[in-house]
Amino acid sequence: AVRRQLPAEYSAFLQPELLVAAQPNLHRGHAYLRPHLDEPLHDGFGVVIVTLAISGHADILLQSRPWDADARQDYWFPLRQGQAYALASDARNVCLHGVLAEDPNRESLNLRFGLHAASPEEPFSAWEEVERHWEKGHQHQQALTLGQHQQQP
C-alpha cells in the first residue's frame, strides 16, 4: 500500500534488495520527538524511509521550509499501531519530521531503502535531493549565530 502512494521514481526503491537498514526507535519515556531532518550522508540515510508503528499511537508532524516564515507550512497526521508511512520526495527532503506520541514508551521501526549518492552529478545525490533545499536555511542560521557572537562583549 505504501508503494502506491509514492512517485514512481521513489517507489522503485521499495524492494528487498534495496533495504539497507532496519532501525528500531524506542521513545524511552519521551512522548515528543522534536522535528528533525534525516541527514542523507550521515545517520539519516535512505532515499525512502518507511516507518512502521510497532506499539503505541502517535501524531506525525511535518514542517515544510521551517527557516522561511512566509513559506513555512505545518502538517500532521495520525499513525496508529500497525500502520506505516513513508518519507520520500519533498516529505523526506524538504520537511522536518517529528512525533507526538500518546504513549511515551512507543516503539517503531524505520526501514531505510536506497542510499543517496555523494557526488552531486549522480542520480539521487544527497545534494540534489536534500542539501540544496537546506542551504538557504543553513546560511540563515549561520548568519544568526554569527550575529549573536558579534553582539556579545
Side-chain angles (χ1 to χ4, degrees):
V2 170
R3 181 178 300 205
R4 291 189 302 257
Q5 302 297 319
L6 296 176
E9 65 267 29
Y10 293 98
S11 66
F13 282 94
L14 294 181
Q15 300 181 41
E17 61 272 13
L18 295 178
L19 177 65
V20 293
Q23 172 191 39
N25 297 307
L26 307 175
H27 283 232
R28 297 185 180 175
H30 300 283
Y32 181 58
L33 299 179
R34 294 176 186 248
H36 61 280
L37 175 71
D38 284 4
E39 297 284 345
L41 297 179
H42 301 287
D43 61 352
F45 55 90
V47 175
V48 177
I49 304 168
V50 176
T51 300
L52 173 63
I54 302 296
S55 68
H57 307 312
D59 289 330
I60 307 302
L61 315 170
L62 295 173
Q63 294 180 333
S64 175
R65 303 192 184 281
W67 65 84
D68 186 343
D70 294 330
R72 178 183 170 164
Q73 294 184 340
D74 294 342
Y75 306 92
W76 71 273
F77 58 91
L79 186 70
R80 301 292 170 226
Q81 183 172 311
Q83 293 181 326
Y85 71 97
L87 291 177
S89 189
D90 283 355
R92 188 258 187 268
N93 303 328
V94 182
C95 296
L96 298 179
H97 62 280
V99 179
L100 181 57
E102 291 179 13
D103 178 357
N105 293 309
R106 177 182 178 267
E107 297 178 9
S108 63
L109 180 67
N110 286 345
L111 302 174
R112 296 177 179 271
F113 292 88
L115 294 173
H116 288 94
S119 171
E121 293 80 29
E122 294 183 48
F124 293 96
S125 75
W127 167 255
E128 187 62 31
E129 284 280 295
V130 182
E131 294 167 354
R132 71 182 177 93
H133 300 290
W134 294 90
E135 183 177 46
K136 180 179 177 184
H138 180 70
Q139 289 171 350
H140 178 71
Q141 184 62 40
Q142 284 181 326
L144 288 175
T145 302
L146 181 59
Q148 290 171 354
H149 288 291
Q150 288 176 344
Q151 291 175 3
Q152 296 175 356

